[in-house]
Amino acid sequence: MIELKNVSKFYYQNGIIASGFTKVNLKLNIGEFVVITGESGSGKSTLLNVISGLDTYEEGEMYINGEETSHYREVDFEDYRRKYIGNIFQNFNLVNSYTVYQNVELVLLLNGSSKKDIKDKVLDIIDTVGLKRYKNTKVSKLSGGQKQRVAIARALAKETPIIVADEPTGNLDTKSAKQIMKLLHEVSKDKLVIIVTHNKEQVEEYATRLIQMHDGKILEDKVIEKVKNDNEIEIKEYKNITILNRLRLGFRNTFNIFTKFILILFVFFFISEVLLFEYTSLRKRSKDLDLTGANVLFTNSDTKRIVIKKNDNSEISKSDLEELGKIDHVKRVVEDDVLLDTNITLRDNEYYYYLDGNVDSISSYEGDLTYGRMPEKDNEVIALAAEYDWYLTDDYENVLETEFNLTDAYGVKTATKIRIVGIKISDTYRDRSIYYVSDKLLNNLRFANNEEYSNVTLFFEGKYYTSESYNRHIVPSNNVPSGYAYVSDMMEVLCPYYDCVNRPLKISVSNIYYSQDLNITVSKEYTKNNFKNILNTDINYEDTFENIYVNTDDYNKLFNKATYQSSVFVDDEDNAYLVNDKLTELGYKTLVIKDSIVNDGRTVAVIMQIFTTIFTVGLIVALFFISYFVIKIILKSRSIYFTTIRILGANKCIAKQILDIELFLNSTLAYILCLVELYLVKIDVLKLATLKKLVPFISLKEIIIMYVILIVMSQLISNRFSRKIFKNSVMKTMAEEVR
Ligand code: ADP
Ligand code: MG
């Protein structure tokens, strides 16, 4: 069966050659119960390991079933171990986290049996070794004697012709030791059993042959009982482990040690989190970059905005506006679109603060506030802060609830006081702040705008006055009757006898759309003392004495004649062209704002982008190594597991696949957890502001890309880990584990 001719085993360690055993000649046959004794260090274990193919030999010849083995390579010995050898060790080498049943079942699963077929067999064997009651107990909870019974059961399940036991009772008390030896004897009829022991008395009654070793040599080889059987024996052929069983073991290993499962899950969760965070931040940054452009004419450079005019420059009527609102993907129609580009500037009395931005109607504001409250009065506003608006983002405590003066186009304070009562820090990148104001304030701004964008000429007392030559404003008021004007007493100098009452006044307005004249009569002069009463206003005389007040309807005829330019906002910038086509069809001239944005300073931005990308890749690599080392520590116990299944006959490839499956499952679960977290953030159950900002950047595509990266990472970790484990021979890993 097994024959050794002049076999020697040497160890090379630090340049010194040590001898395991030298020139051993031995012939062992089926049916023998061989007991090897000898003092410690005499070479018993080394001999046993060479016989069981766990270790190599350097000299001589070893025959297995008549076949010479010097040409055997690792795979051949793997095959040999699998078919011939059942090992029993002093330290059991069981899978502690498996139950008794699972430990015995493991060897059969590895040998290609299907789970269902082997159930009875496994239970039978467990019964044979007397552990029926413990079949569902985890091995870690058993006593030493019981553990060794499991090891015997496992060796039996393997159905090999040879059972090799190295000091199987070394860790047991005398009573259990006796029982184990008895059991071994009982179950191993018709097998070759080779037992190494210190304690000869325990086995003497069963031994058919006694070999004594000394100093690496066989001192005595005494046959006690001759065994006749010298026939060729039949070797059971094995299939490879089925894919289903690989999955089953991978699955089992994922969950069977709960703390380990949670720790690895945590590591992968951490990886997923960082990956998702980094990747989406990267996407957000590149999107922000796209938005950093500007347009000097249209300062509201919202990429969802489309500016429209009629093809023939005619007015846009209320029904036109209604029709626009009904177009698919149009979210909002802004009638007087010039207002969107109106820049307002707010100054305090000391001219210390300088706040500026675009305006919009408070009615179009949606969302929550970062600081402060919603407006309650007409002069109260909300600010949507731009990225670098220091006053609003950093100095908000001083800005909130403070009264500021609105300035005119020349930066001079006007009579209008404005209070910022709420601030929202923008979720997305924006380079201009927006002030959401009341409709009354918006109207005032509209008038100022209309005046600014038109040429206004006054004809009074034989002279023309243009807006360039005379800083005089036309102001609407409901207190002035239609067809009349109220002027300040400061105008007296222009009129005969210093009296302007009843003098005619002609106002001409022209702009790119129309020209309009208004002939009215001055009916009242207001003074510093009476103007507040007359005009029912609370502004200062100094701020208004040059103004000419006219009836609101008259004013509207001049400045608020009709709408000629509007803007529509689409629901998503990707739909801008779709809506644009529809608008063109309806007879509008359009300007899609996102096409008209100029990206200056782009080069710097692109370089920045390259750096952040490099940084992200570096981060992923760093993440890989960190998680690898953490998982390596967590999986340390796995290394014993893999040694065990290799002793049982699984090759490296199978062992690796089982680990692949385990890490695949773990990372998938962690990823699902991560997605659940994101979902909870999205629906506001979890309040994580930073994550919330990134949610809009995560689509199905990103989710898939992230998953692929994570899985690749987990498989790389698995590869690296198994490479480390399998670099050494089974013997060496075993030796390392015992240490
Ligand atoms: P036994 O099992 O009889 O106590 P071993 O077979 O373990 O003895 O050891 C036999 C000899 O081989 C001893 O001298 C021991 O020091 C040496 N030896 C065993 N394993 C190694 C090893 N991995 N490296 C170097 N020397 C070893
Ligand atoms: Mg030993």
Side-chain angles (χ1 to χ4, degrees):
M1 175 77 232
I2 304 276
E3 189 175 0
L4 281 75
K5 280 188 183 163
N6 281 323
V7 176
S8 302
K9 165 79 196 171
F10 305 110
Y11 289 106
Y12 303 91
Q13 215 174 35
N14 309 327
I16 300 164
I17 300 178
S19 156
F21 57 82
T22 37
K23 300 214 181 296
V24 166
N25 287 291
L26 204 57
K27 200 169 178 209
L28 304 168
N29 285 315
I30 289 293
E32 283 188 301
F33 198 95
V34 184
V35 174
I36 304 176
T37 56
E39 73 275 23
S40 182
S42 58
K44 307 181 296 289
S45 296
T46 312
L47 179 61
L48 221 53
N49 289 335
V50 168
I51 289 175
S52 49
L54 284 169
D55 216 344
T56 54
Y57 57 93
E58 272 74 38
E59 229 178 60
E61 290 144 34
M62 182 164 90
Y63 296 85
I64 297 167
N65 236 354
E67 189 188 346
E68 217 273 312
T69 61
S70 57
H71 63 280
Y72 268 33
R73 290 183 318 169
E74 203 182 327
V75 278
D76 301 308
F77 277 114
E78 259 170 16
D79 192 50
Y80 162 65
R81 280 206 301 275
R82 194 166 164 187
K83 288 176 181 165
Y84 285 80
I85 307 290
N87 282 94
I88 295 169
F89 297 91
Q90 181 175 353
N91 58 351
F92 320 120
N93 269 314
L94 298 168
V95 183
N96 277 322
S97 57
Y98 280 15
T99 63
V100 171
Y101 184 92
Q102 287 170 334
N103 263 282
V104 180
E105 181 197 37
L106 177 64
V107 62
L108 293 170
L109 292 181
L110 288 172
N111 282 339
S113 314
S114 86
K115 192 177 161 75
K116 263 197 293 185
D117 298 349
I118 53 179
K119 192 166 182 226
D120 290 343
K121 188 169 165 187
V122 174
L123 289 174
D124 254 11
I125 294 170
I126 293 175
D127 199 17
T128 313
V129 298
L131 286 178
K132 203 171 176 181
R133 270 178 58 204
Y134 299 96
K135 64 175 194 286
N136 290 326
T137 309
K138 275 203 175 175
V139 162
S140 53
K141 298 215 174 82
L142 298 179
S143 72
Q146 288 167 329
K147 281 183 185 170
Q148 206 55 297
R149 280 167 191 268
V150 179
I152 293 171
R154 192 176 63 183
L156 289 178
K158 224 178 153 194
E159 293 185 273
T160 53
I162 304 173
I163 288 183
V164 170
D166 192 352
E167 312 221 18
T169 58
N171 283 348
L172 305 181
D173 58 274
T174 328
K175 197 174 155 222
S176 324
K178 268 204 166 120
Q179 289 170 345
I180 288 297
M181 285 305 184
K182 188 160 174 272
L183 179 65
L184 257 176
H185 179 248
E186 280 165 11
V187 297
S188 60
K189 300 266 177 340
D190 308 321
K191 286 182 194 281
L192 166 59
V193 180
I194 312 166
I195 297 182
V196 162
T197 181
H198 267 100
N199 201 333
K200 216 157 66 172
E201 298 86 66
Q202 279 174 358
V203 259
E204 253 174 345
E205 52 176 310
Y206 314 117
T208 65
R209 188 167 168 183
L210 261 173
I211 295 172
Q212 201 179 351
M213 290 190 74
H214 174 71
D215 204 9
K217 291 197 172 69
I218 292 182
L219 199 67
E220 194 189 7
D221 183 354
K222 194 165 83 187
V223 178
I224 297 169
E225 184 188 322
K226 199 128 179 83
V227 178
K228 286 157 274 159
N229 187 349
D230 197 10
N231 305 329
E232 290 278 301
I233 44 125
E234 209 170 293
I235 297 300
K236 195 171 174 207
E237 275 302 324
Y238 291 110
K239 287 177 288 184
N240 250 337
I241 177 169
T242 59
I243 292 179
L244 189 70
N245 283 346
R246 287 174 217 200
L247 283 172
R248 184 169 277 135
L249 289 178
F251 194 81
R252 183 178 290 171
N253 293 348
T254 308
F255 301 105
N256 75 346
I257 305 175
F258 188 70
T259 37
K260 188 218 65 190
F261 164 65
I262 292 295
L263 282 173
I264 297 184
L265 192 72
F266 180 78
V267 173
F268 278 120
F269 182 75
F270 176 75
I271 301 177
S272 326
E273 196 90 314
V274 175
L275 269 180
L276 221 63
F277 199 84
E278 223 0 76
Y279 185 82
T280 44
S281 306
L282 200 71
R283 283 218 41 202
K284 181 175 180 309
R285 270 197 294 274
S286 76
K287 186 136 184 172
D288 286 350
L289 265 182
D290 280 350
L291 298 178
T292 42
N295 180 308
V296 274
L297 294 174
F298 298 94
T299 55
N300 178 324
S301 53
D302 190 328
T303 47
K304 293 176 186 151
R305 177 180 174 194
I306 304 174
V307 183
I308 54 167
K309 269 198 247 183
K310 281 281 181 71
N311 270 337
D312 55 2
N313 274 355
S314 62
E315 71 176 71
I316 300 172
S317 67
K318 295 280 175 218
S319 65
D320 288 337
L321 292 167
E322 231 167 76
E323 188 186 19
L324 288 168
K326 284 178 192 152
I327 298 175
D328 270 357
H329 302 299
V330 168
K331 205 176 166 204
R332 181 183 170 208
V333 181
V334 177
E335 179 179 355
D336 190 356
D337 106 307
V338 177
L339 272 179
L340 291 172
D341 302 306
T342 299
N343 188 54
I344 61 162
T345 312
L346 306 176
R347 310 296 310 251
D348 59 324
N349 284 328
E350 280 77 43
Y351 281 87
Y352 171 72
Y353 283 98
Y354 181 94
L355 297 152
D356 80 322
N358 290 104
V359 288
D360 205 337
S361 162
I362 186 73
S363 58
S364 76
Y365 182 82
E366 43 190 47
D368 46 359
L369 291 174
T370 315
Y371 313 115
R373 58 178 173 88
M374 292 301 283
E376 282 152 13
K377 295 184 188 144
D378 281 341
N379 72 332
E380 294 181 340
V381 306
I382 285 175
L384 177 63
E387 198 108 300
Y388 302 108
D389 200 329
W390 179 83
Y391 298 110
L392 295 178
T393 54
D394 292 9
D395 202 22
Y396 67 92
E397 279 178 339
N398 291 321
V399 166
L400 274 183
E401 303 288 347
T402 305
E403 205 162 62
F404 292 100
N405 301 289
L406 187 70
T407 66
D408 61 18
Y410 308 98
V412 179
K413 285 182 289 179
T414 67
T416 312
K417 308 266 191 220
I418 283 178
R419 199 185 284 273
I420 299 170
V421 296
I423 294 174
K424 163 89 178 164
I425 306 292
S426 179
D427 288 339
T428 54
Y429 177 85
R430 60 171 39 261
D431 60 356
R432 286 183 69 78
S433 299
I434 292 189
Y435 291 89
Y436 290 90
V437 306
S438 67
D439 286 342
K440 179 158 179 222
L441 207 59
L442 209 58
N443 260 330
N444 289 344
L445 291 166
R446 187 198 317 264
F447 300 150
N449 247 327
N450 291 348
E451 215 180 316
E452 202 184 321
Y453 290 114
S454 300
N455 290 315
V456 181
T457 314
L458 300 179
F459 183 68
F460 190 52
E461 297 302 316
K463 277 192 181 144
Y464 287 99
Y465 303 93
T466 62
S467 35
E468 279 86 32
S469 66
Y470 212 79
N471 188 21
R472 197 157 267 162
H473 292 291
I474 317 293
V475 181
S477 167
N478 288 327
N479 284 24
V480 182
S482 181
Y484 295 96
Y486 291 1
V487 300
S488 99
D489 55 355
M490 303 293 273
M491 275 182 64
E492 278 176 1
V493 287
L494 302 174
C495 302
Y497 311 108
Y498 296 102
D499 185 6
C500 293
V501 173
N502 288 331
R503 307 304 297 175
L505 168 70
K506 182 177 163 190
I507 305 172
S508 303
V509 169
S510 72
N511 56 40
I512 55 171
Y513 299 111
Y514 64 88
S515 301
Q516 179 74 47
D517 291 343
L518 181 71
N519 287 298
I520 47 178
T521 311
V522 174
S523 66
K524 230 174 223 164
E525 279 181 22
Y526 60 86
T527 67
K528 188 171 183 165
N529 296 327
N530 69 8
F531 88 98
K532 283 194 181 176
N533 277 337
I534 290 176
L535 292 162
N536 189 22
T537 170
D538 58 357
I539 60 174
N540 297 323
Y541 180 69
E542 288 72 26
D543 291 322
T544 195
F545 66 84
E546 285 186 307
N547 292 344
I548 294 168
Y549 286 84
V550 301
N551 177 272
T552 307
D553 289 337
D554 291 342
Y555 180 91
N556 283 344
K557 268 182 224 151
L558 285 175
F559 294 111
N560 226 1
K561 217 175 152 193
T563 304
Y564 297 91
Q565 183 177 305
S566 298
S567 271
V568 296
F569 286 81
V570 294
D571 52 1
D572 188 312
E573 63 169 274
D574 293 339
N575 294 326
Y577 296 114
L578 203 72
V579 173
N580 187 46
D581 290 346
K582 180 76 186 159
L583 291 168
T584 316
E585 213 175 280
L586 288 172
Y588 290 96
K589 273 192 282 200
T590 61
L591 175 71
V592 180
I593 285 290
K594 71 171 180 169
D595 286 347
S596 69
I597 294 173
V598 183
N599 292 103
D600 40 7
R602 207 54 227 251
T603 343
V604 179
V606 167
I607 292 172
M608 281 283 292
Q609 180 79 342
I610 292 170
F611 269 108
T612 45
T613 310
I614 293 173
F615 174 78
T616 306
V617 172
L619 186 85
I620 291 176
V621 173
L623 206 62
F624 171 78
F625 281 103
I626 293 167
S627 40
Y628 168 70
F629 283 112
V630 176
I631 288 178
K632 192 173 124 180
I633 292 165
I634 300 173
L635 277 183
K636 210 157 173 62
S637 63
R638 270 285 167 274
S639 142
I640 299 170
Y641 176 82
F642 289 120
T643 315
T644 305
I645 66 171
R646 280 175 75 194
I647 291 167
L648 295 180
N651 61 31
K652 286 179 187 179
C653 175
I654 289 165
K656 186 187 162 309
Q657 278 172 0
I658 293 174
L659 181 66
D660 285 349
I661 294 166
E662 175 177 355
L663 293 188
F664 173 85
L665 265 175
N666 236 313
S667 46
T668 302
L669 283 173
Y671 193 66
I672 292 172
L673 217 65
C674 197
L675 292 182
V676 168
E677 180 201 37
L678 269 183
Y679 181 72
L680 292 181
V681 169
K682 193 179 174 178
I683 60 169
D684 279 325
V685 173
L686 263 179
K687 300 222 181 312
L688 299 168
T690 9
L691 267 184
K692 176 113 189 167
K693 273 190 198 178
L694 298 176
V695 166
F697 295 90
I698 302 170
S699 65
L700 186 68
K701 191 178 119 210
E702 275 70 51
I703 287 177
I704 292 171
I705 292 176
M706 288 298 98
Y707 184 59
V708 170
I709 294 180
L710 187 72
I711 293 303
V712 168
M713 260 172 101
S714 82
Q715 297 304 296
L716 286 176
I717 289 174
S718 171
N719 269 357
R720 226 184 128 82
F721 186 72
S722 31
R723 230 189 9 248
K724 275 269 161 63
I725 301 182
F726 301 140
K727 197 180 67 196
N728 296 326
S729 67
V730 185
M731 267 323 294
K732 211 159 168 194
T733 11
M734 254 170 74
E736 275 170 12
E737 278 151 20
V738 173
R739 248 188 272 134

